[in-house]
Amino acid sequence: MSRDSLSLPQARRIALAAQGFADPPHAQVTMRTFHRALARTGVLQVDSVNVLQRAHLMPLYSRLGPYDTGLLARASSGRQRTLVEYWAHVQAYMPVELWPVMEHRREFYRRRQHKWWKDVPHHLAADLIREIRDGGAATARDLTLRIEGAGTPRVKEHWGWNWSQARIALDFLYMTGELAIAGRNGQFEVLYDLPARVIPAVHLDAPHLTSAEAERELVRRAAISHGVATVQDLRDYYRLPLLKDAQAAVEDLVGAGELLPVRIDGWRRQAYLHRDARMPRRIDASTLLSPFDPVVWERARTEALFDFFYRIEIYTPAPKRQYGYYVLPFLLGDRIVARVDLKADRPRRTLIVHGAYAEAGAPQETADRLVAELRRLAGWLGLDHLEVVQKGDFAAALTVAG
């Protein structure tokens, strides 16, 4: 593809194709299909909110439809894992092959130890690593219980730390690579372990890149996942600290012919098209996007691409929320045409629509398509019923369509 300018619909189709929304549907989602979808997103953001479904599980559903979440569990466990948690976008599952690429980020946090550590005892790092080395993977709570007397009590006069201090120290050791995340328990608590017991040796022992090389690789991957993007978009995907470093990486990739400068109708900022990006004639999506989906997580990009103003309101006091607590955009074709505030009421086996709102210009079939998607989502979540609360300008239409 070689062009100097793109219309906004063309840019949307390129962006959605890059994220996997132009891929053909599959009757059965296999591990191969799973990895192909993951190659499009690059990372899966992790968040503890579970009012509907865990954040890292939703983007694959949006692209693949109902799938076995055990695929992700298998890909992110064992000595041959292909995914590992790290601070990639924010807390996220990333391809384990990115472990050596992230060394510059780990070094960045090592240099900030004096800001992170604060009142945590200086000996705590060695104490925690020793406990994990001898006792195996553990949560912060596990480690505190081990020391404070759960099971076989230990003499603790020389330890002198508490659970909150352990959490601070463990998070720092994880950020700097002294520990790695082996998985999570049933309460979604992080299990920390030694990197040698988590990261395959081929990646753990791989040569580290310089900061410039690492930033170039992360921007390159962001460009593949975005298809077309501004420097600000590319910087945000893997949360590079400095805009100037992202700009330098973009210039290198332009010089190498991998990124092509383009203008997008209505955008004031320069955009860059990845040379391998696809521009399908149409996108046939009909799916809900989680608040942590890469398509919508950079809110300024979402507004520029879709003319869709979107903010997650979890941390907004209830009386001040405009749309609701956990609101998902509805993608139909290449446009976001509605949004719904959802909750999985598991004891009642019911998917509750606490509010439904249509965007201006939503096509006539939106209600029917959205109800079909809500029922598909409910089935994937193991819910039998759909309940629409009469709140929002689109709730009545959903009730009629349902």
Side-chain angles (χ1 to χ4, degrees):
M1 184 186 305
S2 176
R3 58 176 71 240
D4 298 324
S5 64
L6 297 168
S7 69
L8 192 55
Q10 287 174 328
R12 279 200 302 269
R13 295 200 302 273
I14 291 168
L16 290 168
Q19 282 288 320
F21 289 99
D23 291 356
H26 290 263
Q28 181 178 5
V29 178
T30 64
M31 186 62 84
R32 182 178 180 180
T33 317
F34 168 91
H35 278 298
R36 188 183 70 179
L38 185 64
R40 305 284 195 257
T41 66
V43 293
L44 299 172
Q45 183 172 338
V46 174
D47 189 87
S48 60
V49 175
N50 195 26
V51 68
L52 181 70
Q53 177 61 291
R54 294 291 184 192
H56 59 282
L57 299 174
M58 277 298 297
L60 296 173
Y61 165 83
S62 298
R63 289 149 181 79
L64 299 172
Y67 74 99
D68 176 9
T69 58
L71 291 170
L72 192 147
R74 293 198 292 276
S76 59
S77 61
R79 295 303 301 273
Q80 300 303 315
R81 72 178 69 221
T82 55
L83 295 175
V84 68
E85 273 194 61
Y86 190 64
W87 200 263
H89 174 68
V90 288
Q91 185 84 5
Y93 284 98
M94 70 176 190
V96 72
E97 67 199 44
L98 279 180
W99 185 264
V101 178
M102 292 296 182
E103 176 59 21
H104 76 296
R105 184 159 295 178
R106 295 191 287 272
E107 179 57 31
F108 172 80
Y109 285 107
R110 291 182 197 117
R111 294 195 300 268
R112 295 172 64 86
Q113 179 173 353
H114 63 286
K115 295 183 178 180
W116 193 299
W117 215 249
K118 296 182 180 178
D119 298 326
V120 176
H122 290 292
H123 61 79
L124 183 51
D127 292 345
L128 290 170
I129 291 172
R130 186 183 308 112
E131 276 296 313
I132 290 170
R133 182 193 65 210
D134 296 343
T139 67
R141 195 180 301 274
D142 292 336
L143 290 162
T144 302
L145 292 174
R146 284 184 197 174
I147 302 306
E148 292 186 347
T152 303
R154 292 188 180 215
V155 177
K156 53 173 286 189
E157 283 80 3
H158 71 289
W159 295 89
W161 51 270
N162 58 40
W163 185 80
S164 61
Q165 290 175 323
R167 277 296 306 274
I168 293 170
L170 288 165
D171 284 345
F172 177 77
L173 292 169
Y174 144 76
M175 295 295 285
T176 59
E178 301 302 310
L179 294 175
I181 294 180
R184 290 177 180 261
N185 65 14
Q187 289 72 50
F188 207 60
E189 294 175 300
V190 167
L191 289 161
Y192 299 92
D193 206 347
L194 302 181
R197 300 200 291 235
V198 175
I199 309 299
V202 66
H203 303 301
L204 188 64
D205 300 333
H208 297 152
L209 299 148
T210 66
S211 292
E213 290 170 337
E215 286 155 357
R216 176 184 166 122
E217 175 61 15
L218 294 176
V219 168
R220 185 186 71 82
R221 287 173 177 254
I224 291 171
S225 292
H226 268 327
V228 64
T230 66
V231 173
Q232 289 81 358
D233 297 335
L234 297 171
R235 173 199 180 189
D236 178 75
Y237 211 88
Y238 289 95
R239 293 291 169 92
L240 301 186
L242 299 176
L243 182 62
K244 68 180 181 64
D245 293 337
Q247 182 68 59
V250 166
E251 290 171 2
D252 283 350
L253 292 167
V254 169
E258 191 164 351
L259 292 184
L260 310 172
V262 293
R263 293 288 177 184
I264 297 175
D265 292 350
W267 289 23
R268 290 184 295 174
R269 290 175 173 170
Q270 177 70 58
Y272 298 88
L273 176 71
H274 192 272
R275 66 184 176 195
D276 297 329
R278 300 162 56 203
M279 187 175 68
R281 292 185 177 181
R282 57 180 297 169
I283 297 288
D284 292 320
S286 181
T287 193
L288 288 159
L289 304 173
S290 91
F292 306 103
D293 193 290
V295 171
V296 296
W297 70 25
E298 215 299 295
R299 310 310 191 199
R301 175 179 169 84
T302 303
E303 192 166 359
L305 271 176
F306 297 98
D307 191 23
F308 182 76
F309 182 83
Y310 183 49
R311 298 291 185 272
I312 188 167
E313 299 181 85
I314 290 173
Y315 305 110
T316 302
K320 295 184 178 180
R321 290 179 193 139
Q322 183 177 3
Y323 294 108
Y325 180 79
Y326 201 74
V327 175
L328 284 74
F330 178 51
L331 177 67
L332 184 62
D334 66 357
R335 295 174 54 207
I336 295 175
V337 298
R339 67 186 91 198
V340 282
D341 180 19
L342 299 183
K343 176 180 174 60
D345 186 339
R346 293 175 178 88
R348 293 174 55 221
R349 301 183 67 84
T350 299
L351 179 60
I352 303 174
V353 182
H354 279 299
Y357 306 84
E359 292 297 294
Q364 187 174 359
E365 69 269 22
T366 298
D368 289 337
R369 298 290 294 274
L370 179 49
V371 166
E373 168 58 13
L374 289 166
R375 294 197 180 281
R376 183 177 75 146
L377 175 62
W380 180 58
L381 296 175
L383 307 175
D384 300 325
H385 311 291
L386 179 64
E387 177 182 307
V388 180
V389 176
Q390 293 305 301
K391 181 180 179 181
D393 59 19
F394 207 47
L398 291 189
T399 301
V400 171

